[in-house]
Amino acid sequence: MHRLTRRQLLGSSALALLLMSPVARAAVVKGGLPWKPGSADPPTAVTPGGWHYFTPQEAKTVEAFVDRLIPPDELSPGGKESGCAVFIDRQLAGPYGRLDGYYMSGPFQKGTKQQGPQSSVTPAQHYRKALAAFDSACREKFAGKAFVDLTDTQKDEAIKGLEDGSLKLAGTDAQDFFKLVLKNTQNGFLADPIYGGNKNMASWKMIGFPGAHYDYRNWIDRHNQRVKLAPVGISNHPDWTQ
Amino acid sequence: MARRLPHKDVVIIGFGWTGSILANELTDEGLDVVAIERGPWRDTATDFPISYAQDELRYRIRHEMFLRNSQMSVTFRNNANQTALPVRTWGAFMLGNGVGGAGLHWNAEFWRFLPSDFTLKSHLTQRYGANFLPDDMTIQDWGITWNDIEPYYDQFEYLCGTSGTAGNLRGEIQDGGNPFEGARSRPYPTPAMKQGYGHTLFAEGARKLGYKPFPQPSGNLSHSYTNPLGVTLGQCTYCGFCEWFGCANYSKASPQTTILPVLMRKSNFEGRTDCEVTKINLDNTGKRATGVTFVDSSGEEFEQRADLVILCAFSLFNVQLLLLSGIGTPYDPQSGRGQIGRNFTHQTVAGGLGFFDKDKYNFNPFVSAGAIGMCIDEFNGDNFDHGPLGFVGGGYIGQVQTNGRPIETTAVPPDTPAWGSKWKQALKDNYLSTINVGAACHGSMYSYRDNYLSLDPTYKDRFGRPLVRITLDFHDNEIKMSNFLLEKYGEILQAMGAKQVVKHPRKPPYDVTAYQTSHLNGGAIMGDNPGNSALNRYLQSWDVPNLFVMGASAYPQNAGYNPTGTVGALAFWSAHAIRSQYLKNPGPLVHA
Ligand SMILES: Cc1cc2nc3c(=O)[nH]c(=O)nc-3n(C[C@H](O)[C@H](O)[C@H](O)COP(=O)(O)OP(=O)(O)OC[C@H]3O[C@@H](n4cnc5c(N)ncnc54)[C@H](O)[C@@H]3O)c2cc1C
């Protein structure tokens, strides 16, 4: 056996991983439990303001889109106000947007549904292409108007068109794109607010999830009683030290 | 040339649940042991402390603690007529990576199999006749019996502090426990977990229908506990961020919370992290392992020589390494010959939703744990007469809801729009008053001639080695069994007072994107002779006697329970055989 070259090791997507995240270093551990103070790896809180991936035009479309998927009403603020577009933007600019960690070696072939997604297109690329196609499709359907300029009813009509596949997108599958946006939006709305969506824990307050408490020993046998604890997210948890 | 490291007595491949158990047992014997792990060192305070362990997006949705497919994946197809394609991101199951293995982020649902599960083929043939089994079903006996394995179940439970209520203590049936379990020599080390409202209501419903519900055995501990090694675990806080997460409370049994604090202090042990074993090396007879080759994270290749090689890489990767190393004969589904890759199984899980009146029921689904809930075992294994039913196998049925994590667990009635104000309203109206258990019917999967593992001809890992290829589909027997269990589950939900029951039956074909459980079994099975198995009853390779292979790859078929109680018991059973027999006289422990 000969020594593997660095090129072989770094082949395919391992390259991206090694370059973009701190390289895990092989280590010998012995003589006790290794532990270094300050080695914890808390999440970095998203700060709203500016766009990391979207162009300003794309951002407007996505904000309008998430605000129809999660409309503002008496139950909660809408998707835009809750930060869902910011959440998606930061996710697309990060590892998720690049599909870091996915198996990305070819050949890429179409398989059965049971074999799972086989596309080499990343979510970031998918949004870029589909958002442009979506704008064109809206302009065609709604007398030259872009999605953001439509009435709420028209916006819903356009989204339904994506959902049922009746609104075609040039070069990309409308229903796949709809599913992606819906999943990302709902994830952002329901995830910990530290990632930019679910601002002020809007969704958690709406459904009655008290958040990241980590200790419900006082509640486990209080059956059929509403838990009366103010909701907390990771960054307002008493143990948070960032 | 690979850099050669100083010789060791034992090299362990993979530092997860079984690797930790074997390392601790063999260092106790005074042997010099190295464990080589492809993932990083993992530690509670660093990797999942209380301040941010409860992060659904990071750990549950983005899989942060798991093996990433870019490092190692598998390919999948339903049958040999298809071209297998790579699993680009995990779906049907999750895999461990890093010290602790999947033991770090498991639920810790802590089951024993039934006595008849170990002699399944003889048992079923005797009761129903050989013709009752489908032609292409390849189930077989394990080569061990209940009396062989019971002491080691006990040992693993006492290592972990398992919480539960005994159902059969030395042959006497106990109130409140599982009356179908095999006779146990001791009660559980700690009492059963407390149960939430939904779990308790399920037990009431089940009792109304004449069943005998009992608390699910749990490796999340009801009380703090100090194990025989002197390591103390804390009390579970019912935080609801258990499976798929690390436990910040030191209250979920894992290598970290039960073994490592003792093992890591031993001078005759060392671990190597971020080092991936690429091959088990054989001498020129092909009958003796000389050690392993591994590559560290800088790409440098090393050779670790050792007298004894213990493969603890989890079922899939055990089989991959055996195939890549040319150990044993690869299975050929056409001829039925060859043992490596044969009898691969997963699980047949079904579940559903019970919607309750929101003005009367508040389940607080987020007050829960990874291994909580009330179960019935009337329809597991051969606890019921299969004669009139036309299938074999079964599973436990339970209200084992582990969490109310908002992304994963919010459920809405089937006629709800997928978005918009009506969706929001439905989310709000149902979150607190829905029973949502994906794996309520935890069914078995028996083995078949055409379900197997092999090396993929096309897709490679980052070192250029073939990925392991899964060829797997559901057979009618499993679907009938699963539908039968789901019917019973639905009846219990009705008896609990659900206003609407929505069943999610398991449907063929097997889908690699749909999560069931992470219980993959077989491929290097144990048995009583080299013609029907890769390993003997002590998990020793028939082909290479200084190689032992731990884990669920040894299962001839899967039972209707979670596997790790049995994985741990087998690891202790094998370690005992190594310590008491093999080391005195290294060589085959069973003569073929
Ligand atoms: C989300 C989840 C929930 C689960 N819940 C339950 C449950 O409730 N009850 C239950 O019974 N079971 C459960 N399991 C299964 C349980 O975790 C496993 O059965 C158990 O961990 C298996 O032990 P093992 O030692 O065989 O494998 P692991 O504990 O996975 O250890 C294998 C180790 O080997 C390493 N490795 C693999 N290949 C190599 C290589 N080539 N070189 C170096 N190192 C390598 C891996 O990185 C890993 O650390 C669950 C699993 C998951 C993922």
Side-chain angles (χ1 to χ4, degrees), chain A residues 26 29 32 71 103 107 195 224-225, chain B residues 55 271 297 362 364 424 459-460:
Chain A
V29 286
Y103 183 84
Y195 295 106
N224 212 7
Q225 291 179 38
Chain B
D55 186 336
S297 51
N362 176 1
N364 291 327
K424 288 175 67 179
Y459 292 97
K460 309 274 191 275

Side-chain angles (χ1 to χ4, degrees), chain B residues 329-400:
Chain B
T329 310
Y331 172 65
D332 170 14
Q334 233 73 56
S335 66
R337 279 196 289 274
Q339 293 302 327
I340 311 301
R342 192 167 83 90
N343 278 21
F344 179 70
T345 52
H346 188 184
Q347 201 95 56
T348 319
V349 156
L353 302 164
F355 295 99
F356 288 70
D357 182 344
K358 71 174 169 34
D359 298 324
K360 291 202 202 122
Y361 296 89
N362 176 1
F363 295 124
N364 291 327
F366 47 86
V367 181
S368 199
I372 198 171
M374 297 296 287
C375 303
I376 63 163
D377 222 15
E378 271 79 359
F379 304 108
N380 210 333
D382 199 36
N383 293 343
F384 57 115
D385 183 7
H386 290 81
L389 298 171
F391 64 81
V392 289
Y396 68 83
I397 300 173
Q399 203 305 46
V400 292

Side-chain angles (χ1 to χ4, degrees), chain B residues 255-383:
Chain B
Q256 274 75 358
T257 56
T258 61
I259 298 174
L260 300 187
V262 170
L263 174 66
M264 294 309 298
R265 287 197 179 85
K266 293 179 177 175
S267 59
N268 54 340
F269 176 76
E270 85 183 24
R272 279 184 181 263
T273 52
D274 290 299
C275 291
E276 184 148 351
V277 172
T278 50
K279 198 169 183 218
I280 300 166
N281 301 315
L282 303 177
D283 70 5
N284 52 21
T285 68
K287 292 187 161 41
R288 192 181 155 74
T290 57
V292 303
T293 299
F294 70 90
V295 181
D296 78 3
S297 51
S298 74
E300 185 167 3
E301 200 173 67
F302 295 83
E303 185 186 353
Q304 176 66 64
R305 299 196 139 224
D307 294 330
L308 190 55
V309 178
I310 317 272
L311 183 48
C312 300
F314 188 73
S315 50
L316 282 178
F317 306 112
N318 287 348
V319 175
Q320 183 186 26
L321 273 173
L322 291 172
L323 290 169
L324 288 171
S325 309
I327 296 170
T329 310
Y331 172 65
D332 170 14
Q334 233 73 56
S335 66
R337 279 196 289 274
Q339 293 302 327
I340 311 301
R342 192 167 83 90
N343 278 21
F344 179 70
T345 52
H346 188 184
Q347 201 95 56
T348 319
V349 156
L353 302 164
F355 295 99
F356 288 70
D357 182 344
K358 71 174 169 34
D359 298 324
K360 291 202 202 122
Y361 296 89
N362 176 1
F363 295 124
N364 291 327
F366 47 86
V367 181
S368 199
I372 198 171
M374 297 296 287
C375 303
I376 63 163
D377 222 15
E378 271 79 359
F379 304 108
N380 210 333
D382 199 36
N383 293 343

Side-chain angles (χ1 to χ4, degrees), chain B residues 14 16-18 37-38 97-98 101-102 107-109 277 312-313 518 562 564:
Chain B
W17 249 138
T18 57
E37 166 56 47
R38 72 178 165 201
N97 190 49
N107 304 56
E109 299 178 341
V277 172
C312 300
S518 297
N562 310 59
T564 311

Side-chain angles (χ1 to χ4, degrees), chain B residues 105-118:
Chain B
H105 42 58
W106 70 322
N107 304 56
E109 299 178 341
F110 211 115
W111 293 88
R112 296 173 169 209
F113 289 0
L114 296 166
S116 58
D117 285 328
F118 294 100

Side-chain angles (χ1 to χ4, degrees), chain B residues 342-548:
Chain B
R342 192 167 83 90
N343 278 21
F344 179 70
T345 52
H346 188 184
Q347 201 95 56
T348 319
V349 156
L353 302 164
F355 295 99
F356 288 70
D357 182 344
K358 71 174 169 34
D359 298 324
K360 291 202 202 122
Y361 296 89
N362 176 1
F363 295 124
N364 291 327
F366 47 86
V367 181
S368 199
I372 198 171
M374 297 296 287
C375 303
I376 63 163
D377 222 15
E378 271 79 359
F379 304 108
N380 210 333
D382 199 36
N383 293 343
F384 57 115
D385 183 7
H386 290 81
L389 298 171
F391 64 81
V392 289
Y396 68 83
I397 300 173
Q399 203 305 46
V400 292
Q401 183 165 347
T402 59
N403 75 90
R405 299 186 292 261
I407 298 175
E408 180 181 355
T409 304
T410 42
V412 293
D415 45 5
T416 311
W419 50 281
S421 282
K422 285 202 178 116
W423 173 76
K424 288 175 67 179
Q425 186 70 50
L427 215 59
K428 177 182 162 63
D429 287 347
N430 292 287
Y431 176 67
L432 295 171
S433 55
T434 302
I435 304 274
N436 181 352
V437 195
C441 305
H442 195 278
S444 54
M445 185 191 262
Y446 287 170
S447 39
Y448 294 89
R449 190 173 175 137
D450 57 359
N451 287 341
Y452 69 106
L453 298 176
S454 53
L455 291 177
D456 192 89
T458 308
Y459 292 97
K460 309 274 191 275
D461 75 355
R462 68 203 203 286
F463 304 124
R465 304 177 306 160
L467 300 185
V468 75
R469 175 176 65 186
I470 297 176
T471 306
L472 181 66
D473 208 346
F474 288 116
H475 283 242
D476 287 351
N477 179 76
E478 273 50 42
I479 298 300
K480 273 192 209 156
M481 177 276 300
S482 182
N483 289 342
F484 175 82
L485 296 183
L486 192 55
E487 199 60 33
K488 305 287 174 198
Y489 177 61
E491 287 166 15
I492 301 174
L493 283 176
Q494 297 290 3
M496 290 165 72
K499 64 173 193 219
Q500 186 183 8
V501 173
V502 179
K503 293 183 208 156
H504 296 151
R506 186 57 54 187
K507 290 194 186 121
Y510 179 94
D511 185 336
V512 87
T513 68
Y515 190 76
Q516 287 204 78
T517 68
S518 297
H519 313 151
L520 305 175
N521 324 276
I525 70 174
M526 60 196 289
D528 62 8
N529 79 76
N532 68 13
S533 49
L535 313 177
N536 68 23
R537 65 200 303 259
Y538 301 110
L539 307 187
Q540 181 181 34
S541 161
W542 289 112
D543 300 284
V544 178
N546 69 330
L547 169 69
F548 287 74

Side-chain angles (χ1 to χ4, degrees), chain B residues 210-273:
Chain B
Y211 304 127
K212 298 198 172 63
F214 58 91
Q216 168 160 250
S218 168
N220 319 139
L221 300 202
S222 62
H223 288 78
S224 65
Y225 171 77
T226 303
N227 76 12
L229 303 182
V231 184
T232 299
L233 291 93
Q235 181 180 46
C236 175
T237 63
Y238 305 89
C239 78
F241 286 85
C242 186
E243 76 288 0
W244 300 62
F245 300 80
C247 174
N249 290 317
Y250 301 84
S251 49
K252 171 160 72 176
S254 67
Q256 274 75 358
T257 56
T258 61
I259 298 174
L260 300 187
V262 170
L263 174 66
M264 294 309 298
R265 287 197 179 85
K266 293 179 177 175
S267 59
N268 54 340
F269 176 76
E270 85 183 24
R272 279 184 181 263
T273 52

